[in-house]
């Protein structure tokens, strides 16, 4: 907030500077929001988003779209992981049947390498 790129530079330039408390930060943030210098929205009482580009309904729409897209990406990853786990389980069942039928681990590995390459 003070324009320094790293903590080391900050502490060299301002060795006696006192950081703001959480309450001071909230009060300052509220005052700046009231002066309309930026917009602020809190999602589920735990994540606060700030914007200097959007205000009011436009900010709410942009934030809603962003959160929804992020959640959808997580859902897609969850589904892909479930599919991968199902494929691994099916592969393990096939390997188990081959081991029970009498093939050795070495022979099964050779078959699997041929499948990978071919």
């Amino acid at each position: 907030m003070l324009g320094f790129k790293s903590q080391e530079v900050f502490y060299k330039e301002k060795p006696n500077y006192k950081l703001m408390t959480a309450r001071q930060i909230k009060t300052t943030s509220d005052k700046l929001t009231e002066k309309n210098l930026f917009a602020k929205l809190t999602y589920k009482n735990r994540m606060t988003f700030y914007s200097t580009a959007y205000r009011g309904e436009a900010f709410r729409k942009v934030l809603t779209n962003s959160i929804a897209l992020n959640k959808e990406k997580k859902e897609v990853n969850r589904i892909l992981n479930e599919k991968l786990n199902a494929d691994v389980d099916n592969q393990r069942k096939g390997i188990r049947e081959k081991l029970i039928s009498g093939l050795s681990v070495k022979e099964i590995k050779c078959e699997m390498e041929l499948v990978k390459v071919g």
Side-chain angles (χ1 to χ4, degrees), residues 3 16 65 95:
N16 297 326
N65 290 339
I95 291 171

Side-chain angles (χ1 to χ4, degrees), residues 27-39 55:
T27 302
T28 304
S29 169
D30 290 344
K31 285 180 183 178
L32 294 173
T33 303
E34 286 174 12
K35 291 181 180 182
N36 205 25
L37 292 175
F38 58 82
R55 303 283 193 282

Side-chain angles (χ1 to χ4, degrees), residues 111-118:
E111 284 181 10
M112 291 174 74
E113 287 176 8
L114 289 175
V115 171
K116 284 182 191 177
V117 174

Side-chain angles (χ1 to χ4, degrees), residues 22-105:
R23 186 173 182 159
Q24 289 172 325
I25 292 170
K26 182 170 180 358
T27 302
T28 304
S29 169
D30 290 344
K31 285 180 183 178
L32 294 173
T33 303
E34 286 174 12
K35 291 181 180 182
N36 205 25
L37 292 175
F38 58 82
K40 175 174 79 168
L41 279 175
T42 303
Y43 176 67
K44 289 192 173 184
N45 291 327
R46 55 173 253 223
M47 291 190 335
T48 302
F49 297 89
Y50 300 89
S51 175
T52 57
Y54 300 101
R55 303 283 193 282
E57 189 63 24
F59 181 43
R60 192 190 66 74
K61 284 183 180 179
V62 168
L63 187 57
T64 300
N65 290 339
S66 175
I67 292 171
L69 181 62
N70 194 23
K71 286 184 177 266
E72 201 56 37
K73 285 180 185 176
K74 288 179 183 177
E75 183 66 17
V76 167
N77 284 337
R78 187 187 63 77
I79 291 169
L80 291 174
N81 283 334
E82 285 177 3
K83 286 182 178 180
L84 182 61
N85 286 337
D87 290 345
V88 168
D89 288 342
N90 288 337
Q91 187 70 21
R92 286 181 60 217
K93 288 177 186 175
I95 291 171
R96 184 172 190 216
E97 290 172 3
K98 289 177 182 179
L99 287 171
I100 291 172
S101 70
L103 285 176
S104 70
V105 173

